[in-house]
Amino acid sequence: MTTEAAAPAEPEHRLHPMSWLFVLVAQLKQFIVPLIALFLFGRRDEGGLWPLIGVGVLAIGSLWQYFTYRYAVAEDALVVRSGLLERSLRVIPFSRIHNVAVEQSLLHRVFGVAEVRLESAGGSKPEATMRVLTLADALELETLVRRRGRAGPASTRAPGPAMPVADDGVAPDRATHAAVTTAPEPLLRMGAIDLLRLGVVSNRGMILVGAGVAAFSQTGGRLWSNLFERLGGSWEAWYGSNDLPLWQWLAGGLALLAAALVVVRLLSLLLAVLQYYGFVLSRDGRRLTVERGLLTRWRTSASRRRIQAWTLTEGLLQRWLKQRTLEVDTAASQQEGQARTLHELAPIAPREDCDRLIEELLPQARWHALDWQSVPMRGWWRRMLSTLPWIVLVTVALSVRFGAWGLLALAWLPWAAVQAHAEARRAGWTLGEELVAVREGWWQRYWRFAEVDKLQALRLTRSPLDRHFDTATLWLDTAGAGARSPQLCIRYLPHASADAVYRRLSSELARRPLRW
């Protein structure tokens, strides 16, 4: 929100004096690999000075941002000024700020500073990024947003040594300070055993595997060729060999698969420790805060009313360990990624702890008393239609390479049928006064639910198969849904039932105001 009606109630504040260094580091991240390659492998002539000139230009730009960036607190908004030749003025109402993220990397910790991002609902980028503030000012700004996130009069005290501000927007005096400032209430903590479980059940190690494959692909195959030549043969000769019997191919493939699974689990454990060490979910009034991370500490918070949808997940390994994952979608910027927004309320936790969190944060939904309704089984086979093209492609590829043995891939069809039948048997939905929920999956189970007031749009779709079997699919859209979030939809309902649910929800949404 940009406007010229800015009347800060306090003098403007600058960023931390070392903020230019962090701006420079952030700008250099996208150029660091080419610069290192140019310094190490480039020619030693006058052209080698160009990278230094580029770094100098970035450094000047970082200093320019420090000297021209200002922020101050107005009556009910945060005022941010930047630029000198091309001036920018942003007035950000506290009621518009949906998520506050505080980041502390190792470099931040050395200087005792933090980076703060203020995000709004559905924005393509944060409303403001303050790189960087002292840690005390960053936490005070987070407190200021938390206390004055609701519309109403606000005090005129700025972050820093300012007095805390109460929920009603009135700055208390020192005598009543203890009465309005309460300690956050911890809702969930993760210990070492939880991190071990998370590393075992998650596939986060594939992120590092993918990054490694991408890095090695830039070598043009020379690294791999040299490696196999040292082992006694060239890569091309080993790959082109057709003399090995099938059982050796299968044994080698199983051994490589087992080794890959072990490596992925170890990498997943490493990432779990780095990302979720010291995980704490706490509640301060209506605001939820998550703090986590080993090397880089993340602290992100959002108001409870900003949560748009919920996802409860239970994989096969999680079922064996009696664990689940609870995630939420918030109405905040999605461009920065889910790592910087309030997304995971419980990366992994016992089933009863996840149910307890839902009951505490959604008491009006009556999670344990929901009346689940099943989906008719007659269209169970439609759930396996999406896998048929992949089975055909794999079968053709293997048949070209191994001849008739490649037809063994068709053995996946019975398993796909069993899985589709099990998914259809478990699928269900429920619609209460305050909550709409669906449950799907069998191997990987999930529950997806949202408050009726948070629904953004309804869609009733019918494919040719739906018209033939007199069924329909009802899609329920909410704000803030990520690309990896399951769909909130009721599949393959009888058309009459789907239409009745559609009309009921349409009537409810028309009667109730939309809540963000």
Side-chain angles (χ1 to χ4, degrees):
M1 177 178 178
T2 303
T3 179
E4 296 183 358
E10 285 287 330
E12 294 180 329
H13 299 264
R14 285 185 177 180
L15 300 175
H16 189 272
M18 295 302 297
S19 63
W20 66 270
L21 175 62
F22 294 90
V23 174
L24 177 62
V25 170
Q27 292 175 341
L28 286 177
K29 282 182 179 179
Q30 54 186 326
F31 303 111
I32 190 65
V33 175
L35 285 175
I36 292 177
L38 190 57
F39 276 119
L40 294 180
F41 307 109
R43 295 183 302 173
R44 308 297 181 180
D45 54 18
E46 294 81 1
L49 297 177
W50 286 109
L52 294 178
I53 296 176
V55 173
V57 172
L58 293 177
I60 294 174
S62 303
L63 289 171
W64 185 273
Q65 178 171 339
Y66 165 70
F67 283 111
T68 60
Y69 196 99
R70 301 286 190 278
Y71 71 96
V73 177
E75 289 296 329
D76 57 355
L78 190 69
V79 181
V80 178
R81 301 178 186 270
S82 60
L84 183 59
L85 300 180
E86 183 178 351
R87 297 183 179 180
S88 173
L89 172 65
R90 293 185 64 81
V91 179
I92 311 169
F94 289 113
S95 59
R96 181 182 175 88
I97 301 173
H98 289 189
N99 186 73
V100 181
V102 180
E103 175 190 354
Q104 257 200 314
S105 65
L106 287 177
L107 188 60
H108 287 105
R109 294 186 187 182
V110 170
F111 291 94
V113 297
E115 180 175 327
V116 181
R117 293 180 183 84
L118 307 177
E119 300 174 341
S120 63
S124 60
K125 60 181 180 180
E127 290 289 336
T129 299
M130 298 181 177
R131 189 185 291 133
V132 291
L133 303 176
T134 63
L135 181 59
D137 284 353
L139 296 180
E140 190 67 33
L141 180 60
E142 180 192 35
T143 302
L144 183 67
V145 173
R146 179 172 66 248
R147 300 301 186 191
R148 294 171 54 178
R150 293 181 293 177
S155 71
T156 59
R157 199 69 179 168
M163 289 280 287
V165 184
D167 286 338
D168 58 2
V170 179
D173 56 24
R174 297 184 183 274
T176 59
H177 177 82
V180 299
T181 303
T182 59
E185 173 192 0
L187 298 178
L188 182 70
R189 296 180 183 272
M190 289 181 60
I193 299 300
D194 298 312
L195 294 177
L196 178 60
R197 293 194 186 104
L198 183 59
V200 170
V201 305
S202 69
N203 290 317
R204 288 180 171 85
M206 291 302 298
I207 300 175
L208 295 180
V209 172
V213 171
F216 280 118
S217 65
Q218 303 299 320
T219 64
R222 294 180 181 178
L223 180 62
W224 294 108
S225 298
N226 294 337
L227 177 61
F228 280 100
E229 286 176 1
R230 292 182 179 181
L231 292 176
S234 67
W235 164 259
E236 290 81 5
W238 181 85
Y239 184 78
S241 175
N242 293 317
D243 299 333
L244 296 178
L246 178 62
W247 71 269
Q248 291 188 10
W249 279 97
L250 294 177
L254 291 177
L256 289 175
L257 179 61
L261 290 177
V262 171
V263 171
V264 168
R265 293 307 170 194
L266 291 177
L267 293 176
S268 297
L269 179 59
L270 175 62
L271 283 181
V273 173
L274 292 176
Q275 295 178 351
Y276 297 99
Y277 177 83
F279 180 95
V280 179
L281 170 68
S282 58
R283 174 174 57 185
D284 186 2
R286 297 183 179 181
R287 201 163 190 88
L288 300 176
T289 301
V290 166
E291 188 170 356
R292 61 181 175 85
L294 179 61
L295 300 181
T296 299
R297 291 294 293 176
W298 290 98
R299 180 183 173 91
T300 181
S301 64
S303 174
R304 157 66 190 84
R305 61 192 177 95
R306 306 302 186 189
I307 297 178
Q308 304 298 304
W310 308 65
T311 305
L312 189 63
T313 308
E314 184 183 74
L316 179 62
L317 292 177
Q318 287 176 308
R319 286 203 297 278
W320 291 348
L321 298 175
K322 298 182 180 180
Q323 304 286 309
R324 286 176 179 170
T325 298
L326 180 60
E327 302 174 338
V328 295
D329 297 333
T330 56
S333 170
Q334 295 297 316
Q335 180 173 332
E336 294 293 329
Q338 293 176 336
R340 296 177 177 177
T341 59
L342 185 66
H343 178 61
E344 293 170 307
L345 298 186
I348 191 169
R351 298 170 180 173
E352 55 273 15
D353 285 353
C354 291
D355 292 340
R356 174 182 57 82
L357 285 176
I358 297 174
E359 289 287 355
E360 288 188 16
L361 300 177
L362 278 177
Q364 73 280 8
R366 303 174 60 194
W367 175 251
H368 285 293
L370 292 178
D371 182 20
W372 290 94
Q373 302 186 41
S374 60
V375 177
M377 289 290 297
R378 62 178 181 176
W380 66 268
W381 53 272
R382 296 172 60 183
R383 295 176 177 269
M384 63 179 293
L385 293 181
S386 59
T387 63
L388 293 181
W390 295 105
I391 296 177
V392 172
L393 289 176
V394 172
T395 301
V396 171
L398 293 178
S399 298
V400 171
R401 182 65 181 84
F402 300 106
W405 287 104
L407 297 177
L408 290 175
L410 295 177
W412 189 264
L413 283 173
W415 168 252
V418 170
Q419 185 176 8
H421 190 273
E423 289 180 353
R425 186 175 64 250
R426 186 184 173 276
W429 63 278
T430 182
L431 175 59
E433 294 296 328
E434 301 292 337
L435 194 76
V436 57
V438 299
R439 66 184 182 196
E440 287 282 351
W442 171 61
W443 191 268
Q444 180 80 13
R445 300 178 179 180
Y446 69 86
W447 294 257
R448 178 77 167 171
F449 48 99
E451 297 169 85
V452 174
D453 294 342
K454 301 299 179 66
L455 298 180
Q456 297 277 309
L458 307 175
R459 288 181 295 147
L460 189 66
T461 61
R462 303 187 71 194
S463 66
L465 282 176
D466 284 320
R467 289 191 291 271
H468 178 74
F469 291 101
D470 195 28
T471 58
T473 297
L474 180 60
W475 301 84
L476 312 172
D477 296 333
T478 59
R484 297 183 303 169
S485 300
Q487 295 285 348
L488 181 57
C489 65
I490 309 175
R491 303 175 188 271
Y492 312 134
L493 271 182
H495 182 228
S497 299
D499 186 66
V501 174
Y502 176 83
R503 292 179 181 276
R504 176 181 170 183
L505 286 175
S506 299
S507 176
E508 288 290 331
L509 293 181
R511 182 175 59 88
R512 304 185 186 188
L514 179 64
R515 290 194 298 141
W516 284 89

